[in-house]
Amino acid sequence: MALSLMHSALLCNITNEGSISLTNAPIPKATYQADFSVTQVLAAVFAPLSFAFLSAGFILLPIHERVTKAKLLQLMSGVPAAVYWIAMFVWDYLVHFVICMFLIIPFAIFAHFVFFGAYSNAIGTALLLMLLYGWASIPFGYLMSFLLNTGSVGFTIIVGLCATIGVGAGSSLIASMMDADPDSEFAIKISPIIWILRTLFPTFSLSYGFGNLFGIAFTNSFCDSIPSTELDFYCNLPTIDDRDVLFKCCKKICKDECLKSSDFLTWDIHACGRDALFLCIHGFIFFSLVLLFEMKIMAVLLRTIRFRWRRWRNRNLLIVQENIIEDSDVLREEERVRNLIATETGSGREALVLSDLTKLYKNFYAVNRLTFGIHEEECFGLLGVNGAGKTTTFRMLTGDCYPTAGNSFIQNSSIMMNLKKGSDLVKSFEVPTTLAKGLTKDSAHELPEIGLVGNPVFPSRYAIFHRFSNLTIVFLLPWSKISILEEI
């Protein structure tokens, strides 16, 4: 007002005519948006993307232990497969649980009025979805570890899968279904795709669930986000009607159109109940499949399928076979073992029997119809150049790899058909060359430093040797029937 009077005086002094008028108008009303579609899409994008790196980290250890044979050694030492996987899951889930507790902090900092206070069930639902995602995604990673041999590749695949299915498909579908009527033609066409992705991938359930969670949470807390004095001012305006976004917050005049809070865990298409249920089911299904793949029947079935697939894929390959003239004692040993198998059960009177044990890599025979038997109280050695198949034979005996054909028996147990029982009778140790060379019988007490338990005696109960050096020390291992000592 003062500036207007001053400028009017200046204008009259210069021009001797004219004036400046001032008109007061009310401050424009603040605009409020009750549409939280952008918030839902952003939640569906960043929730699976952030958890992708967490869930991908749990695939590294299973791949590492399987590739480095640490898992095989534990199973051969008598650890049941179920105990192995349960122990790993408990530890991984504990890590996931602690991280989820820390993830509550951003909710409290950036959206306190939405997820806490009167609407604390929102943060409870968010925490439930995060914990259920760990329950489902960790066994899913275990399943993927069976198919991969490199930890970095597995990590990349899990992150890429979460980015594609969770971020891409999840955010796109939740954006398209945001305002759709469940009975509309569009919703009916899209619904099967949503159910398929929700059934197969935990990351999609997390993405879709978090999108719906944020939509409901921000809608429920919309009226509380407006200052009470400002809300009272707008509700008392004579021009307010049901077209105004704040009308549903005016409890004195909105009547049946007032904003009603929605529940999170319902079966509604825009709620989180379906996704939470499927995440819970995923955990049971995926972990059951992990244990099923460790069972003998499944292992035999998968081995048969894998063998038939490789044979079909390599049907046109020319298999390389060396023309080797076998010695007469080798032929006699093969004939003796075949007669033994025909007349006796298992290994009969032998400590160990190998019958036509064969390992084929593509078109090359690493082991070709190996047949022999080892007598009780006998020290038996395998000699041969590099690539002769000694280590491959040991790997088949310990269950590290499965033979293409043939079998082996210890007492009445088939190692190939019952690895658990056979491995209780077979123990494998790797003795470093630098440790094996230069040792004498008197200095053999130094060997327990590498973890071999027992006193060196000659002969061992049963033993198989690989690559004899200056001296090979043999151990009496009371808990095993067969001891395999391999120099590395």
Side-chain angles (χ1 to χ4, degrees):
M1 181 70 70
L3 287 174
S4 176
L5 293 174
M6 183 186 69
H7 285 94
S8 297
L10 291 174
L11 180 62
C12 292
N13 184 43
I14 295 173
T15 62
N16 295 323
E17 60 182 9
S19 64
I20 298 176
S21 61
L22 175 65
T23 302
N24 288 328
I27 300 175
K29 293 195 304 181
T31 58
Y32 293 95
Q33 294 291 334
D35 184 10
F36 300 103
S37 56
V38 176
T39 305
Q40 286 184 260
V41 174
L42 290 178
V45 169
F46 288 104
L49 188 61
S50 58
F51 276 92
F53 295 92
L54 176 61
S55 57
F58 297 127
I59 198 177
L60 298 176
L61 183 60
I63 294 178
H64 176 76
E65 291 202 342
R66 181 172 56 83
V67 173
T68 59
K69 315 306 178 187
K71 173 188 173 184
L72 177 67
L73 291 178
Q74 294 181 64
L75 297 180
M76 291 183 62
S77 299
V79 177
V83 174
Y84 171 84
W85 286 113
I86 291 174
M88 182 176 292
F89 176 79
V90 169
W91 174 256
D92 289 343
Y93 194 78
L94 179 62
V95 173
H96 182 89
F97 178 82
V98 172
I99 294 176
C100 289
M101 293 297 105
F102 280 103
L103 288 177
I104 297 178
I105 299 175
F107 289 92
I109 296 175
F110 299 105
H112 182 274
F113 71 95
V114 177
F115 290 94
F116 292 91
Y119 303 98
S120 58
N121 55 343
I123 191 61
T125 306
L127 183 60
L128 176 64
L129 287 176
M130 291 188 289
L131 294 178
L132 287 177
Y133 177 73
W135 164 257
S137 64
I138 294 175
F140 181 78
Y142 294 163
L143 278 179
M144 296 293 293
S145 69
F146 288 115
L147 306 175
L148 305 169
N149 295 321
T150 306
S152 58
V153 175
F155 187 93
T156 304
I157 290 178
I158 292 295
V159 172
L161 187 65
C162 292
T164 304
I165 302 299
V167 177
S171 60
S172 300
L173 289 173
I174 199 170
S176 61
M177 294 289 292
M178 199 169 297
D179 299 322
D181 186 356
D183 298 327
S184 64
E185 182 179 357
F186 176 77
I188 294 174
K189 290 182 179 179
I190 297 297
S191 182
I193 301 176
I194 296 177
W195 281 110
I196 292 174
L197 294 176
R198 182 182 282 143
T199 303
L200 297 178
F201 302 104
T203 183
F204 180 83
S205 297
L206 177 71
S207 175
Y208 209 84
F210 255 88
N212 289 333
L213 168 68
F214 271 65
I216 297 175
F218 275 86
T219 301
N220 289 347
S221 61
F222 171 69
C223 294
D224 292 341
S225 65
I226 304 171
S228 58
T229 56
E230 190 170 343
L231 182 61
D232 292 339
F233 172 77
Y234 283 110
C235 290
N236 293 325
L237 290 176
T239 58
I240 192 169
D241 55 20
D242 57 358
R243 293 173 297 179
D244 197 308
V245 294
L246 296 181
F247 178 79
K248 56 186 177 183
C249 296
C250 301
K251 298 181 180 179
K252 296 180 180 179
I253 60 176
C254 61
K255 297 182 181 179
D256 295 336
E257 297 183 11
C258 291
L259 180 67
K260 296 180 177 60
S261 298
S262 301
D263 294 329
F264 295 96
L265 297 176
T266 63
W267 200 250
D268 186 75
I269 189 174
H270 300 300
C272 311
R274 303 182 183 188
D275 302 291
L277 177 62
F278 269 81
L279 285 173
C280 183
I281 296 174
H282 283 155
F284 288 104
I285 293 178
F286 292 146
F287 201 83
S288 298
L289 289 176
V290 171
L291 298 180
L292 183 62
F293 286 154
E294 295 288 353
M295 294 178 60
K296 179 183 67 174
I297 297 177
M298 182 58 66
V300 173
L301 178 61
L302 293 177
R303 187 166 70 248
T304 303
I305 295 174
R306 190 182 301 115
F307 171 72
R308 293 184 179 276
W309 162 249
R310 289 178 178 175
R311 187 172 63 177
W312 180 84
R313 186 183 59 181
N314 301 328
R315 63 189 183 280
N316 296 325
L317 288 178
L318 180 62
I319 298 177
V320 178
Q321 293 188 6
E322 298 180 0
N323 295 324
I324 300 176
I325 302 177
E326 295 182 343
D327 295 335
S328 58
D329 55 346
V330 175
L331 296 175
R332 287 196 299 270
E333 177 67 10
E334 291 179 354
E335 184 65 22
R336 184 184 72 85
V337 171
R338 290 190 177 94
N339 292 334
L340 176 67
I341 294 176
T343 57
E344 302 283 349
T345 58
S347 61
R349 300 179 302 276
E350 302 291 282
L352 173 66
V353 169
L354 276 67
S355 175
D356 292 325
L357 201 61
T358 304
K359 184 62 178 179
L360 179 65
Y361 291 106
K362 293 186 177 180
N363 64 335
F364 174 74
Y365 279 104
V367 178
N368 191 3
R369 299 192 303 275
L370 184 61
T371 301
F372 63 84
I374 301 177
H375 304 305
E376 293 185 358
E377 305 296 336
E378 178 182 12
C379 293
F380 187 90
L382 292 179
L383 300 176
V385 298
N386 291 339
K390 304 180 296 297
T391 300
T392 303
T393 301
F394 292 155
R395 291 181 61 197
M396 289 188 287
L397 289 176
T398 57
D400 189 13
C401 68
Y402 291 101
T404 304
N407 207 340
S408 61
F409 300 91
I410 299 178
Q411 296 179 351
N412 294 326
S413 301
S414 169
I415 297 180
M416 310 313 161
M417 299 300 296
N418 193 345
L419 173 62
K420 174 63 180 66
K421 187 174 181 180
S423 61
D424 290 340
L425 305 174
V426 179
K427 300 299 172 185
S428 176
F429 302 96
E430 293 180 341
V431 182
T433 304
T434 55
L435 186 62
K437 291 183 178 180
L439 286 176
T440 63
K441 184 176 180 180
D442 295 333
S443 62
H445 64 277
E446 300 175 5
L447 280 178
E449 296 179 0
I450 64 171
L452 298 180
V453 181
N455 297 319
V457 296
F458 295 89
S460 165
R461 185 170 296 180
Y462 317 123
I464 300 177
F465 299 86
H466 176 211
R467 295 180 185 173
F468 287 96
S469 55
N470 294 342
L471 176 66
T472 302
I473 303 298
V474 184
F475 280 81
L476 175 62
L477 301 171
W479 68 84
S480 63
K481 295 294 183 180
I482 302 291
S483 301
I484 298 178
L485 291 156
E486 181 177 358
E487 178 188 328
I488 58 173

